[in-house]
């Protein structure tokens, strides 16, 4: 996909993956996760927690949050980390692992959008070590950020590991969910579209005098809102992680707020009850209890296999009347079963580690 022909070994017994869980998740589905001998993203190793205290002094704690790959493949915690994404690749360690292939996903945390020069340098260095390196380009590394080519990425990995049938089945399933959402929400006149905004609750933003973070019309976040769910984003600026004030947020006044997991996980209860969000209580979405958190997806820079869950939550939040037949609490269990080929018990545990138990508690 980078215009360079790569000779992929016919037999792959050792692979290093520089990604945040997308490729690792595919290998789990294929039953080939044991081929992974090194990783390049520490979100597949971490276990997260979060807590906050309400205005009334109630303490809420969220524990055992994980990347789905961390739960499904706990052995990843013991794998060598060739880069944590904050520093460069440890090439000495990478070479010592003697991989048959290195797979890099551009757009993941280690090589986020805008790091083209660093990516090119890294690919050249890996190749100079005599190690074949294959590159996938995630949504944020494309001219127009969208999920339209994720199916192509899945199929490429399927070809590399001789799992074409499984890869094609998965790609069709994920594409089918997005198509269904678009079909359900099609044809709504602009004047009748709900105003839906992805909002990042963030201590960093508060430290800079803001209320939170917004994402512009040129981002993957707004692609989910406008192109998939067919809603309307009230924030019409550009760029990602844009710090906005409480006054700006009150002026935008969305009908529905989607809480992203950028800058950490934040539940709806936090914006309703935390003392530092007292100045947002007059928002229409807050007063009407129309705030919905996305699943916990740490380091979700390039979107992973769970991206249809995000799309479904956004679409149902925007148009509940068009999704009355879908109870996300049940739907998401079926999703995990189909994607990862797990049983009901494991599916429920995946729902919990993505901090999605609220969909069951609120009958969403």
């Amino acid at each position: 996909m980078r215009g360079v022909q790569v000779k992929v070994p016919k037999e792959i017994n050792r692979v290093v993956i520089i990604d945040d869980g997308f490729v690792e998740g595919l290998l789990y589905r294929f039953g080939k996760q044991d081929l992974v001998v090194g990783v390049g993203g520490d979100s597949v190793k971490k276990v997260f927690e979060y807590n906050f205290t309400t205005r009334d002094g109630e303490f809420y704690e969220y524990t055992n949050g994980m990347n789905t790959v961390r739960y499904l493949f706990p052995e990843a915690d013991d794998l060598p980390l060739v880069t944590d994404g904050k520093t460069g690749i440890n090439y000495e360690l990478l070479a010592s692992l003697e991989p048959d292939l290195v797979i890099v996903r551009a757009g993941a945390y280690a090589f986020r959008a805008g790091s083209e020069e660093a990516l090119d340098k890294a690919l050249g260095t890996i190749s100079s070590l005599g190690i074949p390196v294959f590159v996938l380009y995630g949504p944020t590394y494309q001219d127009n950020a969208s999920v339209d080519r994720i199916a192509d990425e899945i199929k490429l990995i399927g070809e590399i590991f001789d799992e074409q049938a499984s890869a094609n089945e998965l790609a069709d399933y994920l594409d089918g969910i997005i198509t269904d959402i678009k079909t359900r929400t099609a044809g709504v006149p602009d004047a009748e579209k709900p105003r839906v905004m992805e909002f990042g609750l963030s201590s960093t933003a508060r430290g800079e005098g803001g209320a939170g973070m917004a994402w512009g019309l040129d981002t993957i976040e707004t692609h989910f809102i406008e192109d998939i769910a067919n809603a309307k984003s009230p924030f019409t600026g550009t760029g990602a992680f844009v710090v906005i004030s409480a006054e700006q947020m009150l002026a935008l006044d969305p009908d529905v707020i989607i809480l992203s997991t950028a800058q950490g996980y934040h539940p709806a209860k936090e914006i309703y009850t935390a003392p530092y969000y007292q100045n947002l209580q007059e928002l229409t979405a807050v007063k009407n209890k129309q705030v919905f958190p996305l699943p916990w997806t740490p380091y979700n820079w390039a979107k992973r296999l769970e991206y249809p869950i995000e799309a479904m939550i956004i679409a149902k939040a925007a148009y509940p009347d068009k999704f009355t037949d879908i109870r996300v609490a049940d739907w998401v269990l079926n999703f995990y079963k189909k994607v990862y080929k797990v049983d009901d018990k494991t599916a429920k545990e995946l729902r919990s580690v993505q901090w999605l138990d609220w969909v069951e508690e609120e009958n969403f």
Side-chain angles (χ1 to χ4, degrees):
M1 295 177 74
R2 59 187 166 117
V4 176
Q5 190 170 19
V6 178
K7 187 175 181 180
V8 176
K10 188 172 183 180
E11 186 174 347
I12 300 173
N13 296 309
R14 300 175 64 82
V15 61
V16 170
I17 299 173
I18 300 178
D19 187 17
D20 299 321
F22 176 80
V23 178
E24 297 93 323
L26 285 170
L27 290 186
Y28 182 88
R29 173 184 170 86
F30 300 155
K32 296 186 175 181
Q33 66 271 22
D34 291 340
L35 300 180
V36 183
V37 296
V39 294
D42 62 1
S43 77
V44 300
K45 290 172 166 282
K46 289 183 176 180
V47 178
F48 298 82
E49 60 183 31
Y50 183 69
N51 63 72
F52 73 96
T53 302
T54 71
R55 294 186 293 273
D56 296 330
E58 291 182 83
F59 180 77
Y60 287 90
E61 186 173 26
Y62 299 80
T63 61
N64 214 37
M66 300 182 203
N67 185 321
T68 52
V69 168
R70 173 63 176 81
Y71 179 80
L72 292 167
F73 183 36
E75 295 84 359
D77 190 38
D78 298 322
L79 292 174
L81 186 67
V82 300
T83 176
D84 62 3
K86 302 181 185 72
T87 57
I89 295 173
N90 183 334
Y91 295 105
E92 183 178 357
L93 173 58
L94 176 62
S96 74
L97 297 174
E98 300 181 343
D100 301 310
L101 180 68
V102 173
I103 299 175
V104 175
R105 192 173 190 229
Y109 185 58
F111 295 107
R112 304 179 285 287
S115 59
E116 289 86 353
E117 186 176 342
L119 175 62
D120 288 343
K121 182 179 178 180
L123 298 177
T125 303
I126 296 171
S127 296
S128 73
L129 295 172
I131 304 171
V133 56
F134 187 85
V135 186
L136 295 172
Y137 289 88
T140 55
Y141 239 85
Q142 296 161 16
D143 291 337
N144 297 303
S146 81
V147 298
D148 295 347
R149 293 175 63 184
I150 288 180
D152 295 334
E153 295 185 78
I154 293 170
K155 291 174 182 179
L156 284 169
I157 297 301
E159 289 179 21
I160 289 172
F161 292 95
D162 196 26
E163 291 287 345
Q164 292 93 330
S166 182
N168 291 342
E169 178 186 34
L170 176 61
D172 290 346
Y173 171 64
L174 300 183
D175 275 352
I177 294 171
I178 301 304
T179 298
D180 179 52
I181 290 172
K182 289 182 175 181
T183 300
R184 289 170 183 255
T185 62
V188 179
D190 279 353
E192 297 177 15
K193 290 179 180 178
R195 301 167 73 254
V196 179
M197 180 172 170
E198 188 155 331
F199 189 50
L201 303 185
S202 163
S203 58
T204 300
R206 297 200 306 274
E208 296 177 11
M213 293 180 173
W215 282 263
L217 298 179
D218 56 341
T219 64
I220 189 74
E221 286 77 14
T222 302
H223 165 67
F224 274 74
I225 292 170
E226 297 207 335
D227 300 330
I228 298 178
N230 197 31
K232 193 74 174 174
S233 172
F235 182 74
T236 57
T238 59
F241 301 99
V242 179
V243 175
I244 62 173
S245 67
E247 291 76 15
Q248 287 174 301
M249 189 63 181
L250 288 165
L252 292 169
D253 198 25
D255 302 310
V256 176
I257 291 174
I258 303 296
L259 296 180
S260 76
T261 60
Q263 303 289 313
Y265 176 77
H266 298 275
K269 190 181 292 290
E270 185 175 6
I271 197 172
Y272 296 148
T273 65
Y276 40 85
Y277 290 123
Q278 179 67 44
N279 55 358
L280 297 180
Q281 297 310 297
E282 290 305 308
L283 286 169
T284 297
V286 172
K287 289 192 292 186
N288 293 338
K289 295 294 189 288
Q290 292 299 297
V291 179
F292 305 88
L294 293 176
W296 175 230
T297 46
Y299 299 83
N300 192 29
W301 294 81
K303 299 302 174 185
R304 299 195 284 271
L305 297 179
E306 294 82 24
Y307 75 90
I309 303 177
E310 299 177 53
M312 183 60 75
I313 288 174
I314 292 169
K316 184 175 173 70
Y319 296 105
D321 58 316
K322 296 182 182 296
F323 293 86
T324 55
D325 60 317
I326 293 181
R327 184 175 184 266
V328 174
D330 299 321
W331 176 90
V332 75
L333 297 181
N334 188 55
F335 177 88
Y336 294 132
K337 292 175 190 177
K338 285 183 175 291
V339 171
Y340 293 116
K341 300 184 177 181
V342 297
D343 59 20
D344 190 65
K345 178 176 180 294
T346 302
K348 289 179 178 178
E349 289 164 348
L350 285 171
R351 187 176 66 186
S352 291
V353 301
Q354 284 209 282
W355 285 333
L356 269 178
D357 285 337
W358 70 266
V359 296
E360 174 67 36
E361 294 162 3
E362 298 184 20
N363 195 31
F364 183 75

